[in-house]
Amino acid sequence: MPIKGIISPDIVQLNKYDLRIIGLPPLVITAISGIEEELDMTDLPDRTKATGGRVKPVEFDITIPAHEIQSQISMESWYGETQDPVTPTHKKVGTLILFTQSSLPLRAFTLVGMMPRGRNLPDFELDNDGEMANVVWPMSADSIEPDLI
């Protein structure tokens, strides 16, 4: 049952976002997995927990269609920067922008120290009905900071 008058009608939709990464051209990203941020915790002798005061790095996945060649080439080049010899620019800054139903930017999050951790190609099989092939890029970031728009 909807709760009228409590939730603003101009909601943030899950399919209205943009992830911009400084130093890369705009990427065609069809999915971003949930980004979970958590504190570093310590177990105390009395079996309770306390915060260590630090936030752990975040990990998430981005999905890019395999046929989006420019996006794939950009990601492959960046992934190459993270391998030996690691370049000084291998960690980048990204901004995740969330848009409302009326396409207004509402929230933004800055991802500091972003880098790809790997590349996952899809399972290819001849009996597939022609589903779009996607490449999943596991990512990490040192921190995620909320921004005001």
Side-chain angles (χ1 to χ4, degrees), residues 38-52:
E38 63 182 55
L39 291 168
D40 198 12
M41 301 298 287
T42 303
D43 291 326
L44 299 175
D46 65 355
R47 296 186 182 176
T48 60
K49 293 196 176 277
T51 178

Side-chain angles (χ1 to χ4, degrees), residues 17-32 60 62-65 68-78 92-95 114 116 137 139:
Y17 60 88
D18 191 15
L19 177 59
R20 295 293 172 131
I21 301 165
I22 295 174
L24 296 182
L27 301 172
V28 178
I29 299 172
T30 58
I32 301 172
F60 57 99
I62 61 173
T63 302
I64 299 175
E68 293 292 343
I69 299 302
Q70 289 305 107
S71 293
Q72 294 298 340
I73 289 171
S74 295
M75 287 301 297
E76 288 164 0
S77 176
W78 184 15
K92 301 190 183 311
V93 175
T95 302
M114 276 184 70
W137 292 90
M139 306 292 294

Side-chain angles (χ1 to χ4, degrees), residues 35-41 51 53-58 144:
I35 302 172
E36 295 182 25
E37 182 180 30
E38 63 182 55
L39 291 168
D40 198 12
M41 301 298 287
T51 178
R54 295 182 305 230
V55 176
K56 293 180 180 181
V58 296
I144 180 168

Side-chain angles (χ1 to χ4, degrees), residues 9-13 16 98-107:
D10 200 14
I11 62 171
V12 172
Q13 292 184 294
K16 290 192 174 188
L98 307 178
F99 295 92
T100 65
Q101 191 171 14
S102 60
S103 299
L104 296 173
L106 182 67
R107 290 293 312 264

